[in-house]
């Protein structure tokens, strides 16, 4: 079973949205599990301190390596094969490819940073992989951890209703998803594109592909460039008949 172990100073934030909808149903069905570890439980002073002033001066506080190491060691022994992740704005961006790789594995151990950050020594000493969900700063890693876990859970076998639903959405083929429509046929004077009600599946597929390419080109030039490069590489590698 895929299992997430989340280390946080706010354990009451979990499962939060992960206990609802698709993720919540999958948890109830035993398709994945969640452990929440209170970092403060591994502090040694009466105030349960997990942070201290930054070496060299500066604003804010930094999470202590000794407390975090005890929490990590208690959460998972050295033999635990799950990757150890630290949610951090300076981390490697989380992509769909990374999510797919994590979903294929046994789960993840996720440390939620707070304050000004985490002592670098525990990052190196416990082989933490820093992961970012975007170029912005949150109050802590908990929301980012929820996003990462949710993205993984929906890819687990038996979670989504149709296998195709995961392949056709944004990033599934390196493109953003095409526009979606449903009833009523006309809403506020705007009709569903005629081709989608034509019954011609080939034309529908071609329209969706064109729209996915258009949206990617307009909104995510970085993805569009990568898509074109992959398409060019596949053509070069294709054997000549």
């Amino acid at each position: 079973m895929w299992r997430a172990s989340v280390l946080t100073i706010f354990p009451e934030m979990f499962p939060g949205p992960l206990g609802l909808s698709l993720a919540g149903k999958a948890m109830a069905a035993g398709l994945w599990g969640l452990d929440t570890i209170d970092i403060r439980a591994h502090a040694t002073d009466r105030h349960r301190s997990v942070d201290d002033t930054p070496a060299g001066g500066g604003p804010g506080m930094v999470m202590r390596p000794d407390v975090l190491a005890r929490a990590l060691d208690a959460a998972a022994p050295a033999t635990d094969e799950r990757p150890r992740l630290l949610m951090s704005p300076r981390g490697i961006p989380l992509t769909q490819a990374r999510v797919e790789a994590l979903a294929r594995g046994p789960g993840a151990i996720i440390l939620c940073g707070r304050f000004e950050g985490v002592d670098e020594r525990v990052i190196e000493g416990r082989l933490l992989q820093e992961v970012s969900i975007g170029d912005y700063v949150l109050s802590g890693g908990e929301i980012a951890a929820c996003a990462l876990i949710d993205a993984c859970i929906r890819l687990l076998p038996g979670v989504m209703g149709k296998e195709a639903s995961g392949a056709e959405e944004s990033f599934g083929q390196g493109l953003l998803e095409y526009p979606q429509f449903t009833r009523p046929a006309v809403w506020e004077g705007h009709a569903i594109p005629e081709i989608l009600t034509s019954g011609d599946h080939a034309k529908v597929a071609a329209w969706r592909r064109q729209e996915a390419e258009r949206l990617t080109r307009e909104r995510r030039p970085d993805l569009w460039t990568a898509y074109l490069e992959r398409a060019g590489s596949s053509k070069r590698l294709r054997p000549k008949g």
Side-chain angles (χ1 to χ4, degrees):
M1 179 176 65
W2 197 90
R3 192 160 200 88
S5 295
V6 179
L7 292 84
T8 172
I9 62 172
F10 294 111
E12 61 272 20
M13 292 181 69
F14 294 88
L18 298 173
L20 305 171
S21 188
L22 204 65
K25 291 178 182 177
M27 182 189 290
L31 298 178
W32 76 285
L34 173 67
D35 301 317
T36 308
I37 296 91
D38 185 355
I39 296 171
R40 291 194 186 279
H42 299 274
T44 56
D45 66 329
R46 64 189 182 90
H47 299 294
R48 303 210 306 166
S49 303
V50 299
D51 59 325
D52 210 326
T53 55
M61 305 290 277
V62 176
M63 299 189 82
R64 294 173 51 127
D66 52 345
V67 178
L68 291 179
R70 282 193 294 270
L72 284 163
D73 294 346
T79 55
D80 195 317
E81 296 181 351
R82 291 177 296 168
R84 299 183 174 204
L85 310 178
L86 168 63
M87 306 312 299
S88 165
R90 75 175 195 182
I92 296 173
L94 183 66
T95 63
Q96 188 65 21
R98 181 74 182 280
V99 167
E100 289 170 359
L102 287 170
R104 288 193 296 268
I109 302 162
I110 306 171
L111 174 60
C112 300
R114 280 272 162 178
F115 314 116
E116 291 302 310
V118 170
D119 189 299
E120 191 71 20
R121 292 171 295 178
V122 77
I123 296 175
E124 296 176 357
R126 293 301 183 270
L127 303 178
L128 301 180
Q129 304 171 35
E130 296 183 70
V131 181
S132 169
I133 63 167
D135 293 338
Y136 45 86
V137 179
L138 299 169
S139 299
E142 288 78 11
I143 292 174
C146 284
L148 182 148
I149 294 169
D150 182 83
C152 292
I153 292 166
R154 58 196 307 280
L155 298 183
L156 299 179
V159 174
M160 286 198 288
K162 293 183 178 179
E163 294 295 331
S165 61
E168 293 181 359
E169 60 197 5
S170 288
F171 313 113
Q173 303 297 324
L175 297 169
L176 298 182
E177 190 176 14
Y178 49 78
Q180 297 280 10
F181 298 87
T182 188
R183 290 187 289 270
V186 179
W187 177 76
E188 292 190 351
H190 299 279
I192 294 174
E194 217 174 291
I195 196 167
L196 296 181
T197 58
S198 67
D200 189 323
H201 298 298
K203 288 183 178 179
V204 169
W207 180 88
R208 286 175 169 171
R209 184 74 176 195
Q210 291 170 4
E211 286 296 294
E213 291 180 349
R214 177 185 64 81
L215 288 173
T216 305
R217 186 172 59 251
E218 293 175 356
R219 300 181 182 181
R220 291 292 302 273
D222 56 326
L223 291 179
W224 179 245
T225 299
Y227 171 74
L228 291 178
E229 289 175 352
R230 283 195 299 272
S233 297
S234 64
K235 286 181 180 179
R236 289 193 295 271
L237 294 173
R238 193 175 300 159
K240 294 181 180 180

